[in-house]
Amino acid sequence: MQNIRNIAIIAHVDHGKTTLVDKIIHATNIFRENQESGELIMDNNDLERERGITILSKNISVTYKDTKINVIDTPGHADFGGEVERVLKMADGVILLVDAFEGPMPQTRFVLQKALELGLRPLVVINKVDKPNCRPDEVHDQVFDLFFNLEATEEQLDFPTFYGSSKQGWFNTSLEQTEDILPLLDGILQYVPAPTVTEGNLQMQITSLDYSSFLGRIAIGKVTRGEIKESQWIGLAQADGKVLKGKVKELYVFEGLGKKKVTEVQAGDICAVVGFDAFQIGDSFVDLENPEPLERTAIDEPTLNMTFSINNSPFFGKDGKYVTSNHLKERLTKELEKNLALRVQQTDDANTFLVFGRGILHLSVLIETMRREGYEMTIGQPQVILREIDGVSCEPYESLVVDVPEEYASRVIDLATQRKGDLHIMETKGEMQHMEFEIPSRGLIGLRSQMLTATAGEAIMAHRFTEYKPFKGAIPGRNNGVLISKTTGPATEYSINKLQDRGKFFVDPGEEIYTGMIIGEQNKPGDLVVNIVEAKQLNNMRAAGKDKDTGVAPKILFSLEECMEYIQADEAIEVTPNFIRMRKKILSEEERKRVERSAKA
C-alpha cells in the first residue's frame, strides 16, 4: 500500500482551496490537452459557484509518479463542520492552506483542530504570496503558534511549509517562484504517510454517500482493514448494534473526477460500494463471521433552530411544486441522511417542524436548495439553543474576528459591544486593524449587515462556535419598525412616492403584495400599516401625465440570509422558487392588536 496517499485540503473560506485542487488536477494531466475544463472544477453545485464557497466535500484521485493520491476537498466554513468531521476519517494527512496576508482565521482553527485530534500529518501551504501587503514569514509564525495552542504533537509541530500562488500555479519550499506545483506534489509523497494497514478482517466505515438513479444509494469510505470484493457477502454494522447481511453488487474506486469499476479493493484505498440501501453515515462494513465495527464519529451539536412550516400566505401554491406538509417532512427526512449536523423535530402543529443547525449559513443553504427544487415554505426567526449547565441557563458563544481599515475600528467595537461582545485582541495588520471578540451567538444575528453599513462595506468578518457560557441578558434587536401592507394588489408608483418620507421600501411599483406583508422599513421605531396599492384618481381637474417622473427610489433587495437576520419573533419569511418575501406571522392588523392586548393583560 506504499502507492496510495489520502489527503484532505482544509482552509478558511476564500483562501484558494478549490483553485489549488484545480491546479493539482491540471498538473497531473487528468484532462486531455484539447479538453475544456474551466475553473473551480470541484464546485460543481450551482450554489457553490454562485457563493464562491465549498458546501459539500468531494473526492478526486490523481496519479503522480506511479502513486495514487486521493484528494478530499472539504468545506471551509464552520457551519458545515459536520461535513468536515466525517470526511477527515478518510485522510492520512492534511494540507492546511493559509492566506499569506490574512493568516490563520477562526474557521481554519476549527477544522485544523479536528484534523490534529485524528492524528493526521499536516503540510502547511502559504498561498497568495503574490499579493501586495503579504507577510508570509509572520503568517508562518502564527501557524506554528496555532499548532502549539491546539496541542499538536512534536511530529505535527515539525510541519513542512510550501509557499506560492494557486492562481499563478506555482508552489515551492521557499519564496522563489517555480514554473509549476510539482514541489508540492513531491512534498505530499514525501511527508504524507501511506495508509497504515493492520492484519485482520474487513473494516470500512461509511463516511459519505452518493446516489444514482440506476444504482440507488452508494456508500463511500476508506477500507481500513482487510479487503472488499465484488459479489462478496459482508455485514453492515448499524448504530443499534445490529449486523445486516448483504452482498456487494458493484465496487468502484475514484479515478480522476469520476469513478472506475473494480472487482476488489485493498485496505488503504477509498471506494464506493453498491448493494446496500439501509445504511447511515457512520455505519461500518464488517466481516460476517467476526464483526468488528469502527467507532462512530462524534458530531458537534447544533447551536440554532428555526421553524419550517407550510406556506400559508394568500399567494400559497402559485409558484411552487411541493407545497404540503408531507412534501416538507419527506424532504427534511431525506436531508438528515447526509447532513449529519442537522436535526429535525416534529412540533404540536402537524404543519410545522423545528429544524436545528450549526448556523445561519448552514440553514440558509438548505432553504435555498429546497427553494430551487420547487418547495414553498414559511420560515421563522432563528433562535439560539439554550442549555442548562449545573443549574445555570447557558447560551452558545463565538469567537468573532473582524479586519477593518483603522478609521472604522471604533464603529466596529461600538456595534460588537452593544451586542454583548468583549474585545480580547486588537492589533495592526498592515493597513488593517485586526480585532477579536468573544460574543454570544445571538449577538451575531443581524450584525454583519449593520457592520458592513457602518464600515462602507470594508469589514471582513469571520466567526466560529467556542463554548456554552452563562446567558448574558437581553440584546437589542432591530432599531426601526417596519412598513406593513394594508391591502392586497399591485403596488403603485403614486402611493410609494407619497410614502417615501416614512421609510425605505422593499418592493417596486407593479409588484404584487398582500395584507400583512412587510414592504419596507420605517424611519423610526414601531410598525406602521400603509396602503401602497392606491392609484391616483384621474379626473378632469388633474393631468394624467404629471406623475411620469416621480423619482421613486429603487427597492432594497435582501438576500435570504439578510432576511433571516432581519426578521423579529412575530415575523416570518415566505420562501418560494421565485420569491422571498418577509411578512408578519399574523397577517390581519386587528388580530395582531388583539393578541398584543391579551399578552399585556
Side-chain angles (χ1 to χ4, degrees), residues 14 31 40 108 119 190 235 243 296 345 348 399 416 528 531 590:
D14 212 27
F31 294 107
L40 304 178
T108 319
Q190 183 182 347
V243 177
R296 300 177 80 84
Q345 197 176 302
D348 297 338
S399 164
L528 183 67
N531 180 0
E590 289 76 24

Side-chain angles (χ1 to χ4, degrees), residues 96-281:
L96 173 67
L97 192 72
V98 184
D99 185 298
F101 171 69
E102 290 184 357
M105 297 292 275
Q107 284 150 19
T108 319
R109 181 191 180 101
F110 168 81
V111 185
L112 178 64
Q113 187 171 6
K114 301 289 176 194
L116 294 177
E117 284 169 6
L118 288 168
L120 303 183
R121 182 73 203 273
L123 279 74
V124 172
V125 173
I126 295 177
N127 189 24
K128 304 188 184 182
V129 296
D130 53 318
K131 279 172 73 175
N133 298 332
C134 71
R135 39 197 196 98
D137 294 335
E138 233 180 287
V139 166
H140 179 273
D141 294 343
Q142 286 181 340
V143 171
F144 183 86
D145 292 343
L146 175 61
F147 272 72
F148 184 77
N149 292 336
L150 293 176
E151 297 176 2
T153 63
E154 281 193 30
E155 190 190 14
Q156 287 171 332
L157 280 170
D158 186 22
F159 54 81
T161 307
F162 296 84
Y163 301 88
S165 163
S166 293
K167 202 170 182 182
Q168 293 182 355
W170 68 272
F171 281 101
N172 199 359
T173 49
S174 66
L175 284 164
E176 187 183 335
Q177 185 166 346
T178 56
E179 289 181 5
D180 48 39
I181 67 160
L182 297 186
L184 176 59
L185 292 174
D186 289 328
I188 292 173
L189 301 193
Q190 183 182 347
Y191 297 108
V192 176
T196 48
V197 177
T198 53
E199 290 297 315
N201 296 318
L202 169 67
Q203 275 186 330
M204 172 185 159
Q205 187 160 46
I206 300 165
T207 46
S208 195
L209 64 83
D210 202 351
Y211 182 81
S212 154
S213 48
F214 299 107
L215 303 170
R217 297 180 81 212
I218 302 168
I220 298 169
K222 182 172 85 171
V223 182
T224 314
R225 204 170 73 185
E227 58 189 18
I228 189 165
K229 297 178 181 176
E230 193 177 32
S231 304
Q232 179 184 0
W233 287 93
I234 58 172
L236 173 69
Q238 298 179 308
D240 57 7
K242 286 182 187 168
V243 177
L244 298 182
K245 183 180 176 182
K247 187 180 180 182
V248 179
K249 288 181 184 167
E250 290 183 17
L251 206 53
Y252 294 85
V253 291
F254 290 89
E255 187 172 80
L257 298 174
K259 299 185 187 87
K260 179 177 85 170
K261 193 174 178 189
V262 291
T263 54
E264 184 180 339
V265 178
Q266 299 288 333
D269 206 352
I270 295 170
C271 70
V273 179
V274 178
F276 291 80
D277 274 337
F279 66 82
Q280 297 295 330
I281 290 171

Side-chain angles (χ1 to χ4, degrees), residues 401-415:
V401 174
V402 186
D403 287 316
V404 73
E406 206 169 332
E407 65 263 33
Y408 298 118
S410 58
R411 295 186 197 177
V412 168
I413 294 168
D414 189 37
L415 280 170

Side-chain angles (χ1 to χ4, degrees), residues 84-103:
V84 174
E85 284 158 14
R86 60 186 172 84
V87 298
L88 286 178
K89 278 275 191 86
M90 294 193 279
D92 298 298
V94 290
I95 290 179
L96 173 67
L97 192 72
V98 184
D99 185 298
F101 171 69
E102 290 184 357

Side-chain angles (χ1 to χ4, degrees), residues 2 37 46 59 121 158 199 302 537 557 567:
Q2 295 306 307
S37 61
D46 287 346
N59 296 45
R121 182 73 203 273
D158 186 22
E199 290 297 315
Q537 296 302 311
L557 202 59
I567 60 169

Side-chain angles (χ1 to χ4, degrees), residues 509-525:
E511 213 170 297
E512 288 288 336
I513 59 171
Y514 56 79
T515 307
M517 182 171 149
I518 295 172
I519 51 174
E521 182 181 273
Q522 208 193 165
N523 289 336
K524 53 188 180 184

